[in-house]
Amino acid sequence: MAGKPSPGAGFRLALRLRRLVATVWLVSMAVFLPAQLVVELAVGATRANLPDRPLPPGDRMLILVELIRPVAGPLALALVSGALALLAWSVLWHGGTVRWWQGAGATRVRLAEILGHGVVWWWRYARLALVAVTVTVAMLATIWLPFRSLIRSAETAAGGGRSGVLLVTGLVLSAVVLIVCWLATLRGAWLLGESGRRSAVVAWLRGFGVTIRQPISSFFTLVLWAAPGFALLALPVLVEGRAAGLVLLLAWLGSAFCWVALYLSFAPKEPFVKPTVSPLEPPTYVTSHFPTQSSDQ
Amino acid sequence: MDITFTHRSSALLLALVAAALTLGPIAAADAGTADYEIEVSLDPDAHRLRASERVRWTNTTATPTDEIYLHLYLNAFASSETTFMRELKGGSLRRRVALSDDWGWVRIERMVLDDSVDLMPEMEFVRPNDDNADDFSVARVALPRVIEPGGVVELELEFSAQLPRIIARTGFMGDFYLIGQWFPKLGVFEGEEGWNCHQFHASSEFFADFGAYRVLITLPEDWVIGATGVEVGSAPADDGQRTVTYRAERVHDFAWCAAPPDLMEVVETDFSPGRDVPIPWLERAQSLLGLSAAELELPPMRLRLIVPRAQRVLAPRMVRAARLSVAWFGLFYGPYPYPQLTIVSPPRGAEEAGGMEYPNFIGTGANRLDAYSPFSWSSDIEAVTVHEFGHQYFQGMLASNEFEEAWLDEGVNTYAELECMTAISAGGLVPEIRPFAYWGAERLSLVIPRVPVKVGVRAWDYRRRWTYFLASYSKTAVVLRTAEGLIGREAMARGLRSYFDRYAFRHPSGRDLVAALGDAAGQDVGPFFEQAIWGDAVPDWAVTSVRHDSPKAAAGFSWVDGEWRAAEEAETGGADDGRSDADIWLIEVELARLGDFSGPVEVELTWADGAAERRTWGGEERWIRWRLEGSQRLAQVVVDPDGVWALETRRADNYWRDERASADHPLWWVREVLGLAGQIFLKWS
C-alpha cells in the first residue's frame, strides 16, 4: 500500500545517496559535451574574433547561422543522441534506486550496486517510460482534438469571446494531464519494484490510482522539488559574468539533487523487503547478478 | 480609445465629397485612361455574381491600335490546369488550400462596342507567356476600327462570375466574401510596345490603368459591405436586398467585401493629424526632407474598419496601426489623397483573403489569440497594416508593373514598412509589442538561398516560388537599406519622396527609381543597383590576414658612396634619431573581396591603446594589402563596422582581433540560439 510522499524523507535519502546525485549531475552534463564540442570547433575561433562592443543589427545571428549551418547535421545528431542518452540514463538510475531500496537499501549504499541493478532492470523501467509517454500523448490528443474544433467554431461564430476561454481551459487541462501523468509515473516506478511485479502497464495504472487518491500531497511534493529543479536548470543561462561557469556547475548540481530527492520522496516508508539476517544479503527470491558475501567466501 | 466617428470636419469633408461624386455617370472631367461603370448583384447561395459593365478607354499614347486586351483573372481558378494552378502546385499563397469543387471563373456573355457592334465573335483567348491552352486569363478582342491617339472607345459587357472558395485573396468562405479581380479589366496599352497584359501567375500581381469607377452592388439588405472608394448612395432593391453605390477616382482597381452582420461589424473612425501624428516623426521628417511643418501637414480622413465580431477586442489596436501608417507614409511620401480607407480583417478560415492591397481598400489579418500574451507580443497586426497601407502609395498611386517588376512595389514597400515598424518599436508607440530588430530579422532571411537570387526578373521567372517572395520583398528592402547606408539617410528619404512626387499616377519603372535616388544623392547609384537588382552578385568582404613583424636588421651589402659596403657598416653611417627598432611594428593588413559585388567599404583599425582610425577601400580589386608602421600592435580590424552593407550576410570573416576573446559564458551558444528562437517565434529581440 503506497503511503503519502514525504519531501523530508526524499531530502534525507538524497543526502544519503549523494554519490548518486553527483553521478546524475556529471552524466547529465557529459551527454551534451559532444554538442558543446561541435559548436566550439565550428564557431569558437570566429567568436573569439568578435569585438566586445555591440555588432551591427543582425550580425550576431548571421554569424551564428553562417557557422552552425555547415555543422547542423553533426550538431543535431549530437543533441539528439545526448537527449536519448540522458533518457536512457534516467531510466537506469530510477530503476537501480528502486532495486537498491528493495534490497539492502536501508543499511548500505553502494553506487556501483545501484547502477548495476539499474542495468539489469533497465528494460522493465524503459517499458514504464514508454507507457507513460504513450498515455500522456493519448490524453493530450483526447483533449486537444475536440478543443481545437470548439475553438475554431467559436472564432467563426458571433460569440468569438468564447475562443479565449476555451484556449485557456485547454491549456489548464493539458497542464493537469502532464502533472498527473508525471506523478503516476513516479508512483508507478516504485510500485514496479514490488516483488512479483513485472507489468509496466499495471504499475503505471496503479500509480495513477494512488495519485488520484492522494492528489494534494503528491502535487505539493512535485512542486516543492520540481520548481527549484527547473529554476536551477534555467538559472545558468540567465547569469552573466565571469562567475557564470561556476554558477552553472553549482546550479546544475543543485538541480540534480532536486530531481533525485523528488524521486526518493515517493519511496515507500519502509523497504519492500525487511532486511534479512545478514544486512549484506539480498532476499533469496530476488535475483541478483552481483556476488554476495557468501559466494565470496 | 475613442474610435467612433466624431470628427466634425471629416464628416463635413466626406459630405462634400459625396455630394461631388453624384449618383450620375462619370463626368468627362473625371475621366482617366480606363473608366468603369459596373452594376453587380451577389447571389450568396450560389456564390455567383451577375453584372453589366461599361468601360471607357482612352488611347493616351502616340500609337494607334485596333485591338484591346482584357484580364479575366477569375479564370485562373477554373481548373487545376490553368497557369496559376500549375505554378501553385497544389499549395496556396499562405496555407494549403484545396479548391475541390469550389472553382471559380468569369464568363463574358455579351460584349458590344459603343456603336452596337457585337464583339463576341472577335474575342479569343491568348497566352502571351506560356502557350498553356488551358489558361483563359487573357482575352484579345479585335476592334472593327482603329483607335487613334487620343481616341476613346466604349465597351458594354455583361458577365457572370463564379466565385471560388477563397484563394489568392479572392472568393468566399462561408458567408464572408472578399471580391477582388472579379471583373473583365483592360490591360495597359504601352504604345509601340503594344498591350501589356500578362496571364495570371501564381507569383504575380496586377497592372492596370487609372480611371474613375462607379460601382453599384446589390446584396442582402442587412449585410455589411466595404469597398474601394466612398459609398455615395444606398437604395432598397427587390427581394430583401439593397443596392449600394460606390465612387472612386484615380484608381486602377475595385475590390469589395461583404458579410452578414452577425459575422462582421463595422467600426467607423478617422485619422486626425493633430492627434495621430507623433511629434518625433514630424521632427524627423522635417529634418530628413528639409520641409517645414506646414509643408508636411496632412489632411484628415475617414477610416472604416470591417472586423469579425470574434476579433472586436482587437479593433483598437488595428485602428491605432492604421493611424500610425497614415501618419508615417503621409509624412515621408506625401499626403494620402483619398478621403477614405477601408480596412478588412478576414474572419477565421478566410485568412487567405488578408494581407492584400487594393486602392482605398486593404485586407489585413489577425487572430483572436492575438489579444492574449504571449501572442500579443507579436507585431504582426501592425506590420501587416503598415505594409498593406504602404501599398496604397507604391501599388495604388505609383502603380508600377507588378508582373514585370514586382520588387518595385513589394520591395520598396517592405523597406518603408520596416522603417516605420522600427520607428514604432523605438518610440514605444504600441505598448503590447516587444522590442524587435526588424532589420536584423530581414537580413537573416537572406541566408536561406544557397543559389544567389536575382531580383529584377518577371514574377513568374524566379527559380522557386519562395525566391519570388525573398527577392521581391526581403532582398529588395535590404538593398535599399544598404543604399541608404551608402548615400545617407537624408538623400534616401528625399530620393524616395521625389520618386513619389514625380511618378505618382504615371507607372514608373525601376530605372526611374534609380534615377530619382541618384539625383537626390548627387552621385551615380546605377552601378550599385545594376549589381543589386539586375544582377545576382553577392557582397562578401573578409579580413584574410593581419601580420605583425618587428623590423629585422638588413643583411648583405648596401651601395654607399660609390661602393658596396656590408649592410651593418652602411647602417651605422646613418643619423641616430634615438628610436629603437624594438619600438616599431611592421603591420600588414590584407583584405579580400570574396563576393562578386564591388563597392566602397569602410574598414576600422583599432590599435592596442584604443585609438581607432577608419579607412575606405574602393572594393574594385579582389584584394588589397595595407602596410602600416606603428609603435603598437593592431588590436582589431573590422570591415564595415557600422553594418552599412546590410546585403552582406557572410559576416564571420569581417572581424579580426589580436587577443582572442574568451567566451563570457560556457553556454553562450545556447543563449544565442534561444535569442534566435525568440526572434523567430515571439518576434522579440
Side-chain angles (χ1 to χ4, degrees), chain B residues 144-206:
Chain B
R145 66 173 192 267
V146 172
I147 312 302
E148 298 291 345
V152 176
V153 63
E154 285 194 14
L155 305 175
E156 287 185 16
L157 300 89
E158 289 178 11
F159 68 92
S160 58
Q162 177 64 47
L163 297 170
R165 191 147 54 90
I166 280 185
I167 181 169
R169 289 94 60 179
T170 199
F172 71 93
M173 178 61 69
D175 285 333
F176 174 78
Y177 290 82
L178 195 137
I179 302 171
Q181 312 305 334
W182 55 282
F183 58 96
K185 188 156 68 157
L186 289 172
V188 176
F189 185 58
E190 295 183 320
E192 289 184 357
E193 293 167 23
W195 283 90
N196 190 308
C197 192
H198 294 289
Q199 293 162 251
F200 195 3
H201 297 267
S203 295
S204 70
E205 294 196 0
F206 316 105

Side-chain angles (χ1 to χ4, degrees), chain A residues 206-259:
Chain A
R206 287 186 61 210
F208 181 79
V210 172
T211 301
I212 298 300
R213 287 196 297 275
Q214 299 173 357
I216 305 298
S217 57
S218 300
F219 179 72
F220 173 74
T221 304
L222 177 68
V223 171
L224 193 66
W225 287 119
F230 281 122
L232 289 169
L233 263 182
L235 178 65
V237 180
L238 304 173
V239 166
E240 295 187 14
R242 290 181 175 278
L246 184 62
V247 168
L248 183 148
L249 291 173
L250 293 175
W252 283 7
L253 176 61
S255 182
F257 182 91
C258 290
W259 299 124

Side-chain angles (χ1 to χ4, degrees), chain B residues 534-598:
Chain B
W534 291 288
D536 57 11
V538 174
D540 183 13
W541 290 276
V543 181
T544 47
S545 73
V546 178
R547 286 183 50 169
H548 291 80
D549 287 319
S550 307
K552 294 181 177 49
F557 290 88
S558 187
W559 184 256
V560 179
D561 296 333
E563 61 180 353
W564 286 107
R565 291 192 193 174
E568 299 84 359
E569 286 179 29
E571 282 183 359
T572 55
D576 181 2
D577 57 8
R579 198 165 74 162
S580 160
D581 286 347
D583 298 335
I584 297 174
W585 287 100
L586 302 177
I587 304 165
E588 273 188 5
V589 177
E590 188 179 285
L591 311 172
R593 179 170 61 85
L594 303 179
D596 295 327
F597 207 120
S598 62

